[in-house]
Amino acid sequence: MRELAAGFRPYEWAESTDALALRAGLDPVEIVRFDGNVPPLPLPSSRPGAIASALADVNTYPHGGYPHIHEAIAAYAGVEPENVVLGAGGDDLILLCARSFAGPGDVVSVPPDPTYPLFRVAAQLAGAMIGDDGAVLTFCCRPGNPLGDLPPLPAARPLVVDEAYFEYAAETAVPLLADGVIVIRTFSKAFGLAGARIGYLLAERGTAAELRARQAPAPVSTLSVALALAALRTPPDVAAVVEERERLAAGLRALGFEPLPSHANFVFVPTSDTQEIAARLLARGCVVRVTRGGIRITVRDREDDDLLLAVLAGEDRAPTRSVRHARATAETAVRVRLGLDGAGRVRVETGAGLYDHLFEQLAFHGSLDLIVDGSGDLETGAHHTAEDTAIALGEAIDRALGDRRGIARYGSAVVPMDDALARAAVDLGGRRGAQIDLAEDPAREPRALGAHDAARQRDRPRSASRGRGGVQGRRACSARRRAPRRQRAAVDEGHAVNVAICAYGAGNIRSVQLAFERLGASTAIAVDPDIVLEADLAVLPGVGSAGSAMAGLRLCGLDAALRARAVAGRPILGICLGLQLALDESEEDGGVAGLGLAPGRAVRLRDGRRVPRIGWARLEGAPLHGGGETFWFAHSYAAETPAATATSEGLTAVVEHGSFVGVQFHPEKSGAAGGRFLERCLSRA
Ligand code: PMP
């Protein structure tokens, strides 16, 4: 083998992502590479469909070369197809130029350090020496790597101008092809095809032909050509990258760094602390390129760049429950960055229109941080893209939740809006058994509590005799299972009472329903005004705020149904917020008009009372409604009304007006006393 120059050092690759992750003690997916000078994502055109026909012919050679891409490149660069030479990346073409122009004993001129190391490597592989005097070939890098500068064009000829970052600078030496200048460009940078290894060179026709003659017969893969052709159909717009570069540079300056002006997709930050800074960044997954005298930082996107700036600023708190996740199928590629404990920083860009908006709403209202970048076969419709985005998001949530230790088991929401009513229930538990802590019932009768009750009662003293929750959990379940049987019995005996529970967005519907079913009533969760009109007893439960609850009632037409029942003198029971909604108005949410089933208004608890008022309290008055007994209260507003027939600790607790009875307490959570109260309601109905 021919010997290489003394001191020759081959091109050194940066470490692999896996190796970096191992070093940082992170998951490889947490590694964010700011060291490759490539865009964070492929172009939307880089999808499996782009290579489908090339793949169908992958068993054949590219007989006759690659005429289509020569034409497409010529059109893009403003030259003729004969001026184009294809190569496996700019690197391949740098090596081609060096070995074509220089040999042992020749001198090749390369840019002063720091510069792209491959010029030196290529010249030395050709057997040439590095120098300026009598150079047979001169390399120039514009924009320069790693500095991002635009150095003056040398007068020497032949001259190879490496324009790997041409798109970001829009400066070119192409007009000088006839003057002994060769321009090298690549699809690795702005076109996002670094992995495909494809680039091109532009030279005067004779030079181009001579260079082609010195290449391998088929120097690039047909698959790469197909990807490059697809990308050339809609060349990238780098304006956003240039803007983000300036934002990143400003952020760096704000931290006291002095990044050099850049004409590329990276910035160079001169510093003597290169190793210390790189190590600090790596600990949080950010990988930068360390060179002599500074670090080079590739511009990614706002969220990634902000992460880097935050680490540089010393904000070392690692985000909890956050993941990066990618999903690629034949039709789509979706990348998700998710933080469960976020602040609603949201951007979803898959091009799937309304679906993007829906994902954004989901994340925003869930206070997640969610960035989704995706591309799919939108030409067939949004279905693949939306579906894969949903799957990718689900997978990301699954990973971010980890072992689900210490999180709430489920959540549900009903969101009434002007023109829609949305309901959602999410179970995040995945547990095999439940542990439910029961609080002592003041009526000293066993009763079952749901998880919701348990959470509310956390501060109450626990009964030692009740033991651990597992047993109680079973009791809660069996109580539920018994209910349908009792209900059937009641129906058989002809005593079933038809109870319609208004479902308009209130949270405690299910516990109210269970409480009535336990008493043998037949119940319906009603969104339909007719059901509310026809029932023997209409129940207006309530947890939440007056504004959204009234909007929900109006949306379903339940407000009119309840007023009609009141006019007809048919029984209505309002519970908690349901009582407040029945009044003329509420102070909540800046003032909300109520249903007017009873006179008065709901006002915020005042006079130094603790808000919300939660706990068991005695009812004073209203002997027919449990006066003297103890009930469970949880509220922040109370009724001021002439129709009050009972109080509790000085606050209105029962309101009676015509066929309407409203209670501020929660009978469905008030154990035996609550059960007796509901039983009386049923018998009245
Ligand atoms: N020239 C310069 C200045 C570069 O920075 C690079 C990539 N780092 C290349 C050429 C080679 O790019 P590729 O071989 O991927 O086209």
Side-chain angles (χ1 to χ4, degrees), residues 460-485:
R460 292 179 57 80
R462 293 194 184 131
S463 154
S465 63
R466 298 233 163 159
R468 286 204 47 243
V471 177
Q472 311 295 346
R474 271 203 294 284
R475 182 176 303 168
C477 291
S478 64
R480 283 177 188 213
R481 259 188 263 114
R482 252 199 327 272
R485 239 181 293 134

Side-chain angles (χ1 to χ4, degrees), residues 9 32 42 124 157 182 278 283 306 357 370 375 378 459 481 500 528 554 562:
R9 290 212 344 258
V32 190
Q124 291 182 329
R157 299 290 185 271
I182 295 168
D306 278 349
H357 176 63
L370 176 71
S375 58
L378 292 171
D459 296 331
R481 259 188 263 114
D528 183 343
R554 269 198 301 275
L562 288 165

